[in-house]
Amino acid sequence: MDRNGGDTAALHAELTDLLQLEHDALPAYSVAISGLRTPEFREALTSFREDHERHVRELTALIRDLNGMPIAMPHLPTGLFKLAVQTAGLPGGERAVLLAFLSNEWQSKEKYARHAARPHPPEVAALLNRCAEDEARHYDWACGALDRLGCGADTAVGRAAGAFARFHGTVADVVEGGGRMAMETAVRGLRRR
């Protein structure tokens, strides 16, 4: 049990899932930044990548503090698919890069918001709320940038990108949820020994 009487295995699995989400994001950010030419866009994504690097450090420290073992790798196979989505945007220029970025960022925003809304010990809740705020800010920035580029949510391209983001994010959540359940089961099994 955790400090507040909760299920430690479930909490470790939840935090590990979020840590892996961060490891999904980092290489996709590098690809996105490499495909942008506008300094303002590159600077924004570089700053957002720094937020993700901070999330990795903070989640890793929290998992260790809770006597868990952080997993420093992306989700398999969804992390690779997210990277492929971002890479596919490169030949299409900045609009395509940012549309792919938005698709990947939608899942991060939604996932952190769901986790932040759950009851957690205070230090976990504080971290998840900070991360959720960062993800919402990243997503809102991308929406604004795409709007300025003529691909906002009210355009045909924007609506198609939004539909793809929801589909892609929902499928990734289902696959990653299976991994989280397997992790939780494994942690419980190790604790019984």
Side-chain angles (χ1 to χ4, degrees):
M1 299 301 251
D2 70 22
R3 291 187 266 261
N4 291 336
D7 184 344
T8 302
L11 181 58
H12 283 173
E14 177 181 10
L15 295 174
T16 297
D17 179 40
L18 292 170
L19 179 59
Q20 287 184 278
L21 181 69
E22 296 298 340
H23 285 289
D24 295 348
L26 289 171
Y29 264 86
S30 295
V31 168
I33 292 165
S34 75
L36 296 172
R37 299 293 165 246
T38 303
E40 171 199 349
F41 295 166
R42 290 177 63 86
E43 289 167 14
L45 265 64
T46 299
S47 171
F48 299 161
R49 182 176 57 192
E50 290 169 3
D51 290 340
H52 285 276
E53 290 166 346
R54 178 176 40 82
H55 298 171
V56 167
R57 289 189 305 273
E58 292 174 345
L59 285 164
T60 297
L62 182 57
I63 291 167
R64 284 190 178 127
D65 185 49
L66 294 169
N67 297 317
M69 185 170 59
I71 296 177
M73 62 182 283
H75 290 104
L76 296 175
T78 57
L80 298 173
F81 184 70
K82 293 169 195 175
L83 183 58
V85 166
Q86 192 61 65
T87 302
L90 290 176
E94 288 190 322
R95 285 185 178 124
V97 167
L98 290 176
L99 287 165
F101 172 80
L102 184 77
S103 173
N104 284 332
E105 203 64 29
W106 183 87
Q107 187 211 9
S108 294
K109 173 185 77 82
E110 293 295 314
K111 190 175 232 182
Y112 267 112
R114 282 192 314 273
H115 286 280
R118 296 177 181 163
H120 291 96
E123 70 273 18
V124 175
L127 174 58
L128 296 182
N129 283 318
R130 281 192 310 273
C131 292
E133 289 169 4
D134 287 343
E135 295 308 321
R137 182 171 41 83
H138 300 171
Y139 184 80
D140 290 346
W141 176 88
C143 288
L146 285 165
D147 197 43
R148 290 191 307 275
L149 291 172
C151 298
D154 60 341
T155 67
V157 170
R159 284 190 295 276
F164 176 75
R166 288 185 298 279
F167 175 77
H168 160 49
T170 301
V171 170
D173 277 345
V174 169
V175 172
E176 292 163 11
R180 188 174 56 251
M181 288 178 10
M183 169 75 66
E184 188 175 333
T185 301
V187 170
R188 284 184 207 289
L190 289 173
R191 298 245 159 102
R192 287 187 192 129
R193 290 184 179 177

